[in-house]
Every structure is written in structure tokens, then in C-alpha cells.
Amino acid sequence: MVFKRILDALERIERKQDRLNARVDALAERISAGPDEDDARALEDKRLQQGIHSILGYQPGRGRER
């Protein structure tokens, strides 16, 4: 009885591990493909990076760099 419950628990763990591995593999493929320029998140990230660069490059009394 105890062994049966242990085996059932191990089977559940293995199924969850297989699903997790599949998700990790899909994420790795997406990362290796690089950002898609049509992807809204990639465009948002690019705008955020430009804004951060602009803020960090600010110097009082100096004109805007374009």
C-alpha cells in the first residue's frame, strides 16, 4: 500500500517534470530565435532602452542629442 502511493507520487512528479521540460525547451527556442521586430514587447523594450539612454545621457545646460 505504501509502495503503491510512493509509485503514484513518482509518476505524478515525472509527468510534471516532463511538462516543465517541454516548457523550458520552448522558452529556449524562443530565446535562441532572438527578438522578433514585429513583436510588440520587443518594440516596447527598444523604446524603453532609448528612454533610459536619453535619461542617462542628460546633462543640465546642454542641448538635446539627436
Side-chain angles (χ1 to χ4, degrees):
M1 186 68 127
V2 173
F3 293 118
K4 171 87 168 116
R5 287 191 292 185
I6 291 172
L7 289 175
D8 290 341
L10 286 174
E11 286 180 22
R12 285 192 308 271
I13 290 170
E14 287 176 349
R15 283 193 303 266
K16 289 180 182 180
Q17 185 177 11
D18 290 341
R19 286 190 303 213
L20 181 61
N21 284 337
R23 290 179 181 174
V24 168
D25 290 341
L27 181 59
E29 288 176 16
R30 183 171 180 175
I31 289 171
S32 68
D36 185 6
E37 288 299 299
D38 294 332
D39 188 10
R41 281 185 263 158
L43 293 175
E44 183 180 347
D45 287 346
K46 186 176 180 180
R47 282 191 219 115
L48 286 172
Q49 287 298 324
Q50 289 172 343
I52 291 169
H53 177 70
S54 176
I55 291 170
L56 293 176
Y58 174 74
Q59 294 180 359
R62 208 171 155 189
R64 253 176 75 178
E65 291 182 18
R66 293 180 188 209

